[in-house]
Amino acid sequence: MDLFEQHRQQLLETEAPLAARLRPPTLDEFIGQDEIVGPGRLLRRAIQADQLSSLIFYGPPGTGKTTLAQIIANTTQAHFVALNAVLAGIKDIRSAVDTAQDRHGQYGQRTILFVDEVHRFNKAQQDALLPWVENGTVILIGATTENPYFEVNKALVSRSRVFQLRSLSPGDLRQVLDRALQDTYFGYGDTATELEDAAADHLINVANGDARALLNALELAIETTEPNSDGVIPITLAVAEASIQRRAVLYDKEGDAHFDTISAFIKSLRGSDPDAALYWLARMVYAGEDPRFIFRRMIILASEDVGLADPQAVGIVMACAQAFDRVGLPEGQYPLAEAALYLAMAPKSNSVLAYFDALASVEKEREGEVPNPLKDSSRDRYSFGHGANYKYPHAYRDHWVAQQYLPDSLQGQIFYQPSDQGAEAVLQDQIARQREAQLSGLVESNTQDTVSYGPKDSKKERWLQRTMSQTGDHAAWVRDRIFHLTQIQRHHVVLEVNSQTGLLTWEALRRTPEGSVYTHVPTVQVTQTLEDQVKALSALQRPIFLTGQSSDLKTLIQEHTPNLQFDWILGRNSFANQIHNQDQATTVYFAQQLLQLLRPHGQIILAETIPKYGQRICDLVKADDVGKSLYQRWQKAEAAFYQDDTDDTQLTWDESDLTAAFADTPITIDLEQTHISLYVTPKLLDRWFAVGGDRPSYGKRLGQHCSAKDVNQIQTLLSQKLLHQTIQWQVTLTFVHVICPKSA
């Protein structure tokens, strides 16, 4: 940097607007957009790892799109080139591409091309950029306030990851305001100011999620207000109101805000909510929407959604539209609001959509001939008999008579279904009676195809049960049931605890392409197995494996990603292992760890198999097969396994232990019973009656309540009756749903 460039930078730092001076240089100082750049999010990890692919930042003004690009420029090792699409042309694009090619050829350095207002590029300019993005010569980062799916070349969008930035929350804007007042170099930290709470609230409210608008208003207020006798600049509510008099409403008549707002207005009218209808109407008028456009949409709604439930609706809206044309604005807001309120409160019926059913029938069906009585009789009545036998309705009672009006091929077809709302309700019975009379002469045929069935091949059925891996199907059912209880979004950060197979990790990974998945694994061997399965994925796409004991879970996570909190924590039989291996106090500690790892309103979903409510092996055989006396001793011994007064916590715990572990936390517990098909092998029977091992086997537990002779007889019987058979094994699961309190 030469002397002149250094001087220019110093001038920019001191003379640039406050919003430009306060741009944070690092992610840690960036405010808002936690869904995108918070700890554990995909974009944050990509920036920190300097492994960016092409990106498009889409969102309202003042939400941090350009700031994020500058943070990337400050942290990346790649060469960074910035263009503004309003000022740049194809020549500038070619220059950037030439620079990128030179740097890659000479230094092996990548080039990031940032294009602000990328939607301003015309088709030719976007096409000129496309091949260099496609072959990797440049990594594109685009920023736009317009929906890129409509305003940016589809080929560019398909090669980029789109991140949508939201308007900043009041809490975020409060942080921006505090930083501006405290920063002594770029802000007003060395200026004596006194900002009233009411003034701060007004600035934040009227800024409407736009940090730039907030800072511009604050700068104007401070720079134009004289200090008082104490040398302090007082920013009162009156000063704040003068600095930012009108709320910054995002509304582009050709963009998303236009279509989204009119959609909200129409849906509020359709939903009969007059308050919401008035709000969205006022928002459109305030933003400068053409009232004639609003009236046009209300006329459509009067026919489409009110219809014959209130036949006067169209006339009233038309009259209000004519009144508006006569008086104009601002008085024309009265008939505009009157039409909206009338439609919101009118009874609703969309029966007019029956027309489109008829239209579809015309498109799909063979064109039916007009019934002869309905044909025009004025030209060939005597030659062909057209119009013969037509019944003139006015010649009959009630001015109606049953006769055929539809083509033969459509007899019995119903298009119009009157609703039970408003004026249309009185038509229901009348139309139903008339249709019955119309169809009374028609003969309906309801034949059905014959289905052939063959005898079951039991040998083949057993083979299919074994080869289709019923145990795997059960695991998939548990996984699907867990994810049915979630509302995981693309940017969420998810933790699977005590994973043995990655069952939940893979599905969570699929659902969070802009977030991340952390998987806690208890052993190194399991970690190695799971890592082998994700070798084909890039480093940023893989789950993050954390290996260690459950008691160290919080430490493992904080050592990897400090201050990380999760949107969702999922687990399968996570507590079952805890309850077996530890005492209740340790189980409570594990539960509290999980709660501390959740962000406010984060949720925990666990599926736990409860042995206490599960399959009794004695129920798999009949009492007659073993003898009544032995069978009773067997039942009694097996029931003793699950008594609360035993020390075998592996079998005696139930859902109450889970409730106790999450004491004082909102928790929902649902018990569900299911069956899995289990093929009994010699190895399975050996495991049931194993002598050694870390955990007591079924046979060893029986021996605590039965004689050795009884145990041997039971083992022999099970071998005779169950070996090489497929049995239905009862499983009882509890699905635990915990919601983290807001103050967590």
Side-chain angles (χ1 to χ4, degrees):
M1 178 184 296
D2 59 26
L3 184 63
F4 297 104
E5 179 64 18
Q6 184 178 7
H7 179 65
R8 190 179 71 86
Q9 288 291 92
Q10 290 174 348
L11 288 176
L12 283 175
E13 290 179 355
T14 56
E15 297 181 2
L18 177 64
R21 301 199 306 267
L22 276 181
R23 289 190 191 276
T26 65
L27 280 174
D28 291 334
E29 298 177 53
F30 189 82
I31 296 174
Q33 311 305 338
D34 185 61
E35 297 86 353
I36 296 176
V37 293
R41 307 299 186 192
L42 176 69
L43 182 58
R44 188 187 191 95
R45 293 190 290 122
I47 294 173
Q48 291 172 337
D50 199 8
Q51 295 183 10
L52 288 169
S53 59
S54 291
L55 309 171
I56 294 178
F57 296 136
Y58 157 52
T63 54
K65 300 184 295 298
T66 304
T67 299
L68 272 177
Q70 292 192 356
I71 289 174
I72 293 171
N74 294 337
T75 57
T76 183
Q77 297 299 314
H79 179 59
F80 193 89
V81 179
L83 298 177
N84 189 302
V86 176
L87 304 174
I90 292 181
K91 179 180 177 181
D92 301 284
I93 296 173
R94 288 174 178 166
S95 176
V97 169
D98 290 341
T99 301
Q101 290 175 323
D102 291 342
R103 284 188 169 269
H104 187 268
Q106 295 179 26
Y107 312 111
Q109 186 182 30
R110 299 178 306 152
T111 296
I112 293 176
L113 175 61
F114 172 62
V115 182
D116 202 5
E117 303 292 338
V118 66
H119 65 278
R120 299 279 188 173
F121 271 162
N122 59 36
K123 186 177 185 302
Q125 291 167 325
Q126 293 186 35
D127 288 343
L129 182 59
L130 177 60
W132 309 112
V133 173
E134 188 170 11
N135 65 19
T137 300
V138 296
I139 298 171
L140 173 67
I141 298 180
T144 175
T145 56
E146 303 296 330
N147 190 328
Y149 292 101
F150 297 119
E151 303 297 335
V152 179
N153 187 315
K154 288 188 171 113
L156 278 179
V157 172
S158 69
R159 288 162 177 79
S160 307
R161 186 177 290 276
V162 178
F163 288 94
Q164 184 174 6
L165 281 68
R166 308 286 185 181
S167 296
L168 298 184
S169 68
D172 295 333
L173 292 178
R174 177 74 64 175
Q175 292 184 55
V176 172
L177 195 61
D178 291 342
R179 177 178 293 177
L181 294 173
Q182 295 168 8
D183 192 303
T184 57
Y185 188 75
F186 295 114
Y188 293 103
D190 57 355
T191 303
T193 59
E194 183 178 346
L195 180 65
E196 291 184 357
D197 291 340
D201 292 341
H202 178 75
L203 291 173
I204 291 171
N205 178 46
V206 181
N208 201 32
D210 186 335
R212 186 183 296 108
L214 173 70
L215 293 174
N216 289 344
L218 177 67
E219 184 178 26
L220 179 63
I222 293 176
E223 297 293 343
T224 59
T225 303
E226 294 293 330
N228 58 22
S229 58
D230 298 326
V232 177
I233 297 176
I235 307 300
T236 62
L237 177 59
V239 172
E241 289 175 339
S243 301
I244 185 169
Q245 297 180 354
R246 184 177 175 90
R247 179 184 298 276
V249 176
L250 176 65
Y251 199 88
D252 186 335
K253 292 185 179 181
E254 300 300 327
D256 283 358
H258 163 77
F259 292 105
D260 290 345
T261 308
I262 190 64
S263 174
F265 174 63
I266 293 300
K267 288 174 180 175
S268 299
L269 293 178
R270 184 181 295 134
S272 300
D273 189 328
D275 303 308
L278 287 179
Y279 169 78
W280 295 116
L281 175 64
R283 186 156 157 175
M284 287 188 290
V285 173
Y286 183 86
E289 181 62 82
D290 184 357
R292 292 174 179 81
F293 167 74
I294 302 174
F295 269 120
R296 185 174 68 84
R297 294 301 301 269
M298 286 197 289
I299 292 170
I300 296 170
L301 182 133
S303 296
E304 178 184 355
D305 294 294
V306 176
L308 294 178
D310 185 350
Q312 303 299 319
V314 173
I316 289 176
V317 176
M318 287 294 296
C320 288
Q322 291 174 355
F324 177 87
D325 288 338
R326 289 289 185 96
V327 300
L329 288 174
E331 292 85 354
Q333 293 176 88
Y334 291 114
L336 189 65
E338 180 183 352
L341 284 174
Y342 187 90
L343 292 178
M345 299 307 297
K348 303 298 189 296
S349 171
N350 66 344
S351 59
V352 72
L353 295 180
Y355 162 76
F356 295 99
D357 293 334
L359 186 61
S361 179
V362 171
E363 293 173 349
K364 295 177 183 179
E365 301 289 337
R366 178 182 175 183
E367 184 176 342
E369 185 178 357
V370 176
N372 192 66
L374 303 186
K375 291 180 179 178
D376 178 24
S377 62
S378 62
R379 293 172 298 144
D380 47 20
R381 175 182 178 185
Y382 298 104
S383 300
F384 296 107
H386 289 175
N389 300 319
Y390 170 65
K391 299 176 182 177
Y392 187 58
H394 296 295
Y396 295 85
R397 183 179 179 181
D398 297 328
H399 301 262
W400 182 86
V401 62
Q403 64 180 327
Q404 178 179 342
Y405 291 101
L406 279 169
D408 292 340
S409 60
L410 291 178
Q411 285 302 304
Q413 176 70 53
I414 294 177
F415 296 113
Y416 173 58
Q417 293 282 11
S419 73
D420 57 357
Q421 300 296 309
E424 199 172 24
V426 301
L427 302 176
Q428 280 188 324
D429 291 340
Q430 173 188 342
I431 292 178
R433 288 194 301 270
Q434 290 176 347
R435 280 175 175 160
E436 290 173 2
Q438 297 275 51
L439 301 175
S440 60
L442 295 178
V443 179
E444 297 182 359
S445 175
N446 293 318
T447 59
Q448 296 182 350
D449 293 334
T450 302
V451 180
S452 176
Y453 293 94
K456 287 187 178 181
D457 184 343
S458 58
K459 184 177 180 180
K460 181 180 178 182
E461 290 291 322
R462 287 197 303 271
W463 180 84
L464 285 172
Q465 286 180 352
R466 293 196 297 272
T467 56
M468 289 174 65
S469 180
Q470 293 296 308
T471 302
D473 290 346
H474 173 70
W477 175 80
V478 174
R479 176 200 63 206
D480 294 344
R481 185 70 177 84
I482 288 175
F483 281 95
H484 177 72
L485 297 172
T486 69
Q487 299 87 41
I488 292 179
Q489 298 180 29
R490 295 171 60 88
H491 63 272
H492 280 172
V493 181
V494 181
L495 169 67
E496 181 184 1
V497 291
N498 280 330
S499 177
Q500 299 289 339
T501 63
L503 174 71
L504 306 178
T505 291
W506 314 134
E507 179 64 17
L509 204 64
R510 185 183 70 81
R511 294 184 180 221
T512 56
E514 278 87 46
S516 56
V517 178
Y518 287 69
T519 304
H520 166 241
V521 184
T523 66
V524 175
Q525 292 82 356
V526 176
T527 301
Q528 292 174 344
T529 301
L530 296 179
E531 286 179 339
D532 287 340
Q533 299 181 47
V534 296
K535 284 183 177 179
L537 300 178
S538 68
L540 287 175
Q541 293 175 322
R542 297 174 188 171
I544 299 164
F545 296 110
L546 305 166
T547 307
Q549 298 298 318
S550 298
S551 56
D552 301 325
L553 178 60
K554 186 176 179 181
T555 302
L556 290 171
I557 292 171
Q558 295 305 316
E559 287 178 350
H560 186 279
T561 309
N563 303 318
L564 178 64
Q565 290 184 305
F566 295 95
D567 300 286
W568 296 91
I569 296 179
L570 311 176
R572 181 191 180 207
N573 288 336
S574 303
F575 272 86
N577 295 327
Q578 288 291 309
I579 291 170
H580 170 66
N581 294 318
Q582 310 290 346
D583 57 24
Q584 183 64 27
T586 307
T587 302
V588 172
Y589 173 73
F590 179 61
Q592 296 309 306
Q593 274 197 105
L594 298 185
L595 288 173
Q596 292 169 15
L597 289 169
L598 281 179
R599 67 177 63 246
H601 299 305
Q603 300 182 50
I604 300 172
I605 305 290
L606 304 172
E608 302 289 332
T609 303
I610 303 183
K612 187 174 183 178
Y613 303 143
Q615 179 66 51
R616 301 294 186 264
I617 293 181
C618 63
D619 293 336
L620 297 174
V621 298
K622 298 178 181 178
D624 295 341
D625 295 331
V626 66
K628 185 175 181 180
S629 177
L630 176 57
Y631 191 75
Q632 289 176 345
R633 294 196 300 275
W634 187 7
Q635 282 184 313
K636 185 176 180 181
E638 194 166 1
F641 296 173
Y642 307 97
Q643 296 301 316
D644 294 335
D645 56 357
T646 66
D647 296 329
D648 193 349
T649 56
Q650 182 186 5
L651 298 183
T652 57
W653 73 278
D654 57 24
E655 68 275 13
S656 63
D657 294 279
L658 297 172
T659 303
F662 290 102
D664 302 323
T665 305
I667 182 172
T668 302
I669 292 182
D670 293 323
L671 290 175
E672 292 195 22
Q673 190 177 91
T674 186
H675 289 81
I676 62 173
S677 295
L678 181 66
Y679 183 66
V680 181
T681 64
K683 287 186 177 180
L684 178 60
L685 288 176
D686 290 343
R687 194 160 62 245
W688 284 356
F689 290 91
V691 177
D694 297 334
R695 299 185 182 185
S697 67
Y698 176 75
K700 190 173 182 179
R701 287 190 174 98
L702 274 181
Q704 297 173 359
H705 305 280
C706 294
S707 66
K709 181 180 178 181
D710 286 348
V711 175
N712 289 333
Q713 285 184 315
I714 291 171
Q715 183 176 2
T716 301
L717 174 69
L718 291 176
S719 298
Q720 293 172 349
K721 296 296 183 182
L722 302 184
L723 187 60
H724 300 305
Q725 299 292 319
T726 299
I727 61 175
Q728 295 300 307
W729 186 271
Q730 178 180 306
V731 179
T732 300
L733 295 101
T734 179
F735 290 91
V736 183
H737 189 182
V738 180
I739 302 177
C740 181
K742 182 179 181 181
S743 60

